[in-house]
Amino acid sequence: MVIPRRGSFVRRQLLLVLFHAAWEMGSGQLHYSVPEESQHGTFVGRIAQDLGLEVSELVPRMFRIESQGHGNYFEVNLQNGILFVNSRIDREELCVKNADCAIHLEVIVDKPLRIFHAEVEIKDINDNPPIFSAGKQTLNVAESMLPGAHFPLQAASDADIGSNAQLKYKLNSTEFFVVEEKINDQHSISLVLVLIKPLDREKIAVHHLLLTAADGGQPQLTGMVHLDITVMDANDNAPVFDQSVYKVKLFEHVADGTLVIRSNATDLDEGINKEIVYSFSNNAPSNIFTIDSDTGEIKVKGKVDFEENSVYNVEIEAKDKGSPPLSGHCTILIEILDLNDNAPEILLKSMVVPLPEDSPLGTVLALISISDRDSGANGQVSCSLWPPGLPFKLVSTFKNYHSLVLAEPLDREQIAEFGLVVIAQDQGLPSLSASSSLVLPISDVNDNAPTFSQPSYTVFVKENNPPGAHIFTVSASDPDMAENALVSYWLDEKLWPLSSYISVHSESGKLYALQPLDYEELKLLEFQVRAKDAGLPSLCSNVTVQVFVVDENDNAPSVIGPQVGPIPLMVPIMAGQIVGKIHALDADSGYNAWLHYELHELTSGPWQVGRYSGEISTTRVLDEAEGSSIYSLLVLVKDHGKLPQSATASLSVSLMVTSQKIHTDAHLPGMGGSPGALVDNANVYLITAICAVSSVFLLAIIVYVTLRCQSQAKEAMMYGPGTATLVCASEVGSWSYSNRHSHILAGVSGEAGAKSDLMFFSPNIPIFAENGEPKNGEELLPSPSGEVSSS
């Protein structure tokens, strides 16, 4: 109870200020206390003063209090502001056994509206005595009970709390029993009656005791109960089992109803005291086993599983039917034998997915843990991989823990993904196994350079192609994947710049001729195309491409030699006499440069031309009967190409009679000889010319072979003679040789071969010497227009 002290006005005001400040800073709630069962009008506290309100303003401001959920236990005197008890308060009715019991009040004033809170604690008083549940308790105790036996009693209860509810018990004077309080594991108190001296029914059949319970309150309150203890005749012998402990072995998963053991107990008593009932103690697994109450047979009732429980400790009680009944106990130790009924369990955790193909040996790919719930050999597990021959192995790191590691180098281009199975097998009979699959994709690294389908390519392109023509496509493959297999192409121009001749498309590998190719200028282009992938770092490879320019018949034959005048011939002339030779060249090659000669149909007279030699000879004897005349010969020179091309050569022959010959000889003193000698000399020169041409041809062949052998050691370019064309003249057996230089790579051109001449031989011309050397015959050199004259 709060009782304000009386003192000076200053001290009072100061206390009010401090109390109000503490109230404002604290919880904002007033606290009072009052004992329960207080009479009406009992002073509780000066609530108006404690709230800092003037008594004069309580009525105008409509001062009032409200209590939540409780009766109207308190009121305020509005004349003096004192809080007092309005009605009886029973703490046990209000709060039962709760240690904290308080009534919350709301104090309300208006003008302005303010709400205050106050709490009145209800103090407990010792107003409730201990109470027993019944006025009398009856017990039956066998006379055979030994001292120390305990018998439970119903304890008293007290509605108060604290020390008012702390009870102490006392028995009236007796030499056989005492009462004790026992505290169990749950810290609860139980009351027991303890036998301290053996009973004798024949002396005292019933013991009448008075049990008193007293609380700790002031004043102390008590409660009593009568105890009637009846002494029963003794069932002197309890049942006894053959063994105190039975040991049994039982396989797991046996069928329901399987007999485990037949327990046996005996009782030396007679009659009903000898009849025994068997039962499990409270801790027995009644869901697994059952016992026959009459025979003591224990049988399997539920599922016996070694993995759930390997040993069962079953307590058996044998109780007779005596009054009071006596019992004996034994323990049955049931050992469950393991069967191989659990397959191994595999837990597999991948560590590296996907696996780079350049991973070092020993890389850990997965962690594997294996367990088997069985025991002994049934729980001993071996681990293996399937299929065999994989580039992996299992490494044991601890009991039933393994690591899957890389044992051999990988190549994604051969095998891009591995599927393997981890097999765990126990050693039971029969053996059980489990498996877990693992897929290991292999990720690509750039370890393969692009590869061309063949080491070199040979391409034939006709000359005079249109600019930008597609001539060939090179293709390289890369067994890698993604950007490592993305191939681009370009020309290797380290040796020769080819950008003016050839280009390659970087993605498709298509080769294009950037300008028309001319066989007469360029026979062969040899270069390298490089293929590079897009990996990091990138890899590349080269291939050699030989582009042979195929000749087209785009050049007409050309007759060689300057313009000369008419050829004078002295008659008579023998049939078949060679009077001259036309030599023409064709810039093409092969059949396109193979020339043949024929007289134009407008040409008449006793003349013929060698088809392949170009030698002009007579078809019959020309004598003085022909007289002096001039013949104009027109010779057609044609090649053998498709859509052949041709050129013409014109020749004038002047026949002279003997008088003209003499006249000519007269003007040439010092030169003489017979016509027969002139013809013989001409034949000698002809043979010499043929031998010279053949020697030049043989020399050209030797030079060509030598240069060809040397060219195989050169990467940049190759030089050598082109196609050598041998033409046999069927009429006189002479040869014509055309020698041309080949152009390789950058197209370096050579000059034409040895210059060929158009020769005319006249046996009737007198032999003359020039520069001290004899000379027979004249060299006929045609003009650009085709006219042939003598020089």
Side-chain angles (χ1 to χ4, degrees):
M1 177 183 298
V2 175
I3 302 175
R5 293 184 177 182
R6 298 186 180 274
S8 67
F9 179 78
V10 175
R11 289 185 62 190
R12 185 177 179 184
Q13 291 298 324
L14 180 59
L15 287 173
L16 283 174
V17 171
L18 292 175
F19 180 81
H20 183 73
W23 179 72
E24 291 289 343
M25 296 175 60
S27 63
Q29 178 174 290
L30 294 177
H31 183 81
Y32 301 98
S33 64
V34 65
E36 65 174 331
E37 304 294 343
S38 296
Q39 298 297 321
H40 174 75
T42 300
F43 174 83
V44 178
R46 299 182 182 278
I47 190 169
Q49 177 181 333
D50 294 337
L51 291 176
L53 301 175
E54 295 294 337
V55 175
S56 59
E57 61 180 350
L58 296 182
V59 175
R61 296 188 62 182
M62 299 180 66
F63 182 93
R64 60 193 181 275
I65 61 172
E66 300 286 344
S67 61
Q68 296 180 355
H70 301 288
N72 189 17
Y73 293 115
F74 302 99
E75 281 293 340
V76 176
N77 188 337
L78 299 180
Q79 302 301 321
N80 54 19
I82 293 176
L83 179 66
F84 62 91
V85 175
N86 183 48
S87 61
R88 174 182 172 274
I89 303 174
D90 186 353
R91 185 188 183 282
E92 287 71 38
E93 179 184 348
L94 184 66
C95 299
V96 194
K97 296 289 286 186
N98 290 333
D100 296 328
C101 185
I103 297 175
H104 182 78
L105 302 176
E106 286 187 348
V107 182
I108 305 171
V109 294
D110 293 332
K111 301 177 183 180
L113 177 64
R114 294 190 65 184
I115 299 175
F116 303 92
H117 298 274
E119 185 180 71
V120 181
E121 180 183 359
I122 310 301
K123 295 288 188 177
D124 182 48
I125 64 173
N126 193 20
D127 59 341
N128 292 283
I131 298 175
F132 288 94
S133 59
K136 182 172 69 173
Q137 295 186 29
T138 303
L139 297 176
N140 295 322
V141 179
E143 64 176 331
S144 60
M145 286 293 179
L146 298 178
H150 292 68
F151 307 96
L153 297 175
Q154 293 291 331
S157 61
D158 195 314
D160 295 322
I161 63 172
S163 60
N164 295 331
Q166 293 180 357
L167 304 181
K168 293 182 180 181
Y169 296 91
K170 182 177 66 173
L171 278 177
N172 62 335
S173 178
T174 177
E175 57 180 337
F176 295 98
F177 299 95
V178 294
V179 66
E180 293 182 358
E181 290 181 332
K182 298 291 186 180
I183 301 177
N184 59 20
D185 294 340
Q186 286 73 32
H187 302 286
S188 61
I189 299 175
S190 60
L191 188 66
V192 294
L193 185 67
V194 181
L195 179 65
I196 60 176
K197 184 178 179 180
L199 299 174
D200 189 350
R201 184 180 177 278
E202 287 68 29
K203 291 183 178 180
I204 305 176
V206 178
H207 293 262
H208 300 281
L209 304 177
L210 182 64
L211 178 63
T212 303
D215 61 24
Q218 292 294 334
Q220 187 179 63
L221 300 179
T222 61
M224 293 180 295
V225 65
H226 292 279
L227 299 179
D228 291 342
I229 302 173
T230 302
V231 180
M232 305 294 294
D233 191 20
N235 182 16
D236 297 338
N237 296 284
V240 178
F241 284 92
D242 298 341
Q243 300 175 219
S244 60
V245 177
Y246 294 87
K247 293 183 179 180
V248 181
K249 292 184 178 181
L250 182 68
F251 281 103
E252 63 175 333
H253 300 308
V254 294
D256 286 357
T258 300
L259 177 64
V260 179
I261 193 173
R262 177 181 286 108
S263 60
N264 183 39
T266 59
D267 195 317
L268 298 178
D269 293 327
E270 295 294 335
I272 195 171
N273 292 333
K274 189 177 182 179
E275 296 180 8
I276 298 174
V277 176
Y278 297 90
S279 64
F280 288 129
S281 297
N282 293 335
N283 62 344
S286 58
N287 60 328
I288 303 295
F289 304 104
T290 182
I291 187 170
D292 190 306
S293 61
D294 296 329
T295 64
E297 291 182 347
I298 299 176
K299 296 181 179 180
V300 175
K301 175 184 178 182
K303 178 182 179 182
V304 179
D305 192 349
F306 171 85
E307 286 71 38
E308 292 184 4
N309 199 341
S310 61
V311 176
Y312 289 95
N313 194 342
V314 180
E315 298 287 339
I316 303 298
E317 181 184 46
K319 182 184 292 186
D320 61 25
K321 297 182 180 179
S323 181
L326 299 179
S327 60
H329 299 83
C330 75
T331 299
I332 299 179
L333 190 64
I334 304 175
E335 180 183 357
I336 307 301
L337 301 180
D338 183 42
L339 294 176
N340 194 22
D341 59 338
N342 291 279
E345 297 179 358
I346 301 176
L347 179 61
L348 190 149
K349 181 179 180 182
S350 299
M351 301 298 292
V352 182
V353 176
L355 179 64
E357 62 177 320
D358 61 347
S359 298
L361 300 184
T363 300
V364 178
L365 313 178
L367 299 178
I368 303 169
S369 62
I370 301 173
S371 61
D372 195 316
R373 297 180 62 193
D374 296 321
S375 64
N378 297 332
Q380 295 179 3
V381 182
S382 60
C383 191
S384 62
L385 291 178
W386 190 90
L390 296 176
F392 312 107
K393 66 179 180 179
L394 289 173
V395 176
S396 178
T397 57
F398 191 65
K399 181 181 179 181
N400 292 337
Y401 288 88
H402 301 78
S403 295
L404 179 66
V405 300
L406 181 63
E408 299 176 12
L410 299 175
D411 188 355
R412 189 205 64 83
E413 288 68 42
Q414 293 184 1
I415 302 179
E417 184 177 84
F418 288 93
L420 57 90
V421 179
V422 178
I423 300 175
Q425 187 171 15
D426 61 29
Q427 299 182 17
L429 290 175
S431 178
L432 299 178
S433 63
S435 62
S436 180
S437 300
L438 178 64
V439 177
L440 283 175
I442 308 302
S443 62
D444 184 51
V445 297
N446 193 24
D447 57 346
N448 291 279
T451 304
F452 289 93
S453 59
Q454 56 191 65
S456 63
Y457 296 95
T458 301
V459 184
F460 294 89
V461 180
K462 290 184 178 181
E463 65 174 332
N464 302 320
N465 57 280
H470 172 228
I471 60 174
F472 192 66
T473 300
V474 294
S475 177
S477 61
D478 195 317
D480 294 323
M481 62 183 299
E483 66 274 0
N484 295 333
L486 186 62
V487 179
S488 59
Y489 306 88
W490 82 96
L491 294 178
D492 189 353
E493 299 191 56
K494 294 181 180 179
L495 301 178
W496 294 96
L498 299 172
S499 57
S500 60
Y501 289 96
I502 299 293
S503 70
V504 62
H505 192 272
S506 62
E507 297 180 0
S508 65
K510 292 184 177 181
L511 295 173
Y512 298 94
L514 300 180
Q515 61 181 354
L517 300 177
D518 189 354
Y519 173 83
E520 288 71 37
E521 293 183 359
L522 187 64
K523 299 290 190 299
L524 171 65
L525 276 174
E526 186 175 272
F527 53 89
Q528 286 189 334
V529 177
R530 177 163 294 184
K532 180 178 71 173
D533 60 33
L536 289 175
S538 62
L539 302 176
C540 61
S541 61
N542 299 332
V543 68
T544 300
V545 180
Q546 291 180 325
V547 178
F548 287 90
V549 182
V550 179
D551 182 49
E552 292 274 309
N553 192 21
D554 58 344
N555 290 282
S558 175
V559 180
I560 301 174
Q563 183 176 1
V564 296
I567 302 174
L569 295 177
M570 299 299 294
V571 294
I573 300 174
M574 301 300 294
Q577 177 64 51
I578 297 175
V579 298
K581 181 179 180 180
I582 297 175
H583 192 184
L585 294 177
D586 196 314
D588 297 321
S589 66
Y591 276 91
N592 296 330
W594 186 17
L595 304 181
H596 67 276
Y597 305 86
E598 60 185 47
L599 289 177
H600 196 276
E601 60 183 3
L602 297 180
T603 299
S604 60
W607 313 103
Q608 64 180 2
V609 62
R611 181 171 180 81
Y612 297 107
S613 65
E615 295 174 342
I616 300 174
S617 61
T618 57
T619 58
R620 56 183 174 82
V621 176
L622 299 180
D623 53 20
E624 295 181 353
E626 298 293 331
S628 298
S629 60
I630 297 177
Y631 290 90
S632 295
L633 305 180
L634 183 61
V635 179
L636 293 179
V637 183
K638 295 183 179 180
D639 57 30
H640 284 75
K642 292 184 179 180
L643 299 178
Q645 299 197 44
S646 62
T648 60
S650 60
L651 182 68
S652 293
V653 178
S654 177
L655 297 180
M656 295 181 293
V657 295
T658 305
S659 59
Q660 294 175 329
K661 175 188 174 197
I662 296 173
H663 179 73
T664 303
D665 293 341
H667 290 289
L668 297 172
M671 293 185 181
S674 64
L678 179 61
V679 171
D680 292 338
N681 293 334
N683 290 333
V684 171
Y685 279 102
L686 179 59
I687 292 172
T688 302
I690 293 174
C691 291
V693 171
S694 299
S695 299
V696 171
F697 170 73
L698 181 60
L699 179 61
I701 292 297
I702 295 173
V703 172
Y704 170 76
V705 172
T706 302
L707 294 178
R708 188 64 178 173
C709 293
Q710 294 176 353
S711 65
Q712 294 180 358
K714 299 180 181 181
E715 293 182 5
M717 64 179 183
M718 302 167 58
Y719 295 95
T723 303
T725 303
L726 300 180
V727 180
C728 176
S730 60
E731 288 82 0
V732 295
S734 64
W735 295 85
S736 173
Y737 167 70
S738 174
N739 180 21
R740 305 190 61 83
H741 287 283
S742 297
H743 298 208
I744 314 298
L745 292 177
V748 179
S749 63
E751 296 296 332
K755 182 177 179 181
S756 299
D757 297 331
L758 176 63
M759 301 297 296
F760 173 79
F761 302 96
S762 176
N764 296 322
I765 297 179
I767 299 175
F768 59 93
E770 183 177 19
N771 297 327
E773 294 291 331
K775 183 177 182 182
N776 187 9
E778 295 179 348
E779 181 178 0
L780 302 181
L781 301 176
S783 66
S785 63
E787 293 290 336
V788 180
S789 60
S790 175
S791 62

